Amino acid sequence: IRSTTPIESSGKKQVVIESKHPYDDNTNSVDTIELPGEESMVVWFDPETCTEGGCDYVQFWHDENKNEAERYGEERYTGGKNNSSKNWPTKENPLRIPAGKCAVSFQT
């Protein structure tokens, strides 16, 4: 993750998270997203988000241990580069996480 920006909007907490553009090859990062005092979060990606389909991906976990039984959403969020298929959560169809804290991993 390159940067996080907390935003207060309409009484709701928001965090904008970005990777480097372009992102580095051979990345294997795990970062925590936390919204103190919140019981859930909604995650979506910019419509222009893209990675190399199937090779580079993002995953959401209950915590940094990345237990396979404790993943949120799809197995991998990936794609879009060179017009490949993609499955990123959108503002219209977001990933809903029933917790105020999770871990996000980025593998390239």
Side-chain angles (χ1 to χ4, degrees):
I1 296 176
R2 179 179 73 184
S3 65
T4 61
T5 307
I7 301 170
E8 287 287 337
S9 174
S10 305
K12 301 205 181 236
K13 296 176 186 170
Q14 295 182 15
V15 178
V16 175
I17 300 172
E18 292 185 82
S19 66
K20 288 174 56 177
H21 296 86
Y23 58 83
D24 294 330
D25 288 335
N26 303 312
T27 296
N28 186 7
S29 67
V30 180
D31 295 281
T32 299
I33 301 171
E34 186 169 8
L35 300 175
E38 299 298 318
E39 296 179 2
S40 64
M41 64 177 77
V42 178
V43 177
W44 69 84
F45 288 79
D46 183 283
E48 294 187 27
T49 298
C50 65
T51 61
E52 186 176 349
C55 298
D56 301 345
Y57 55 89
V58 173
Q59 296 174 300
F60 292 88
W61 307 91
H62 287 218
D63 58 41
E64 296 84 359
N65 295 324
K66 299 184 353 180
N67 180 334
E68 286 294 321
E70 297 180 337
R71 182 178 32 247
Y72 293 117
E74 300 288 327
E75 180 179 351
R76 295 178 177 182
Y77 292 102
T78 185
K81 188 173 184 179
N82 299 323
N83 295 317
S84 64
S85 65
K86 59 184 179 178
N87 66 337
W88 301 101
T90 63
K91 192 169 186 177
E92 297 74 30
N93 190 23
L95 169 62
R96 298 183 184 281
I97 295 178
K101 181 179 177 180
C102 72
V104 58
S105 62
F106 184 37
Q107 177 78 41
T108 68

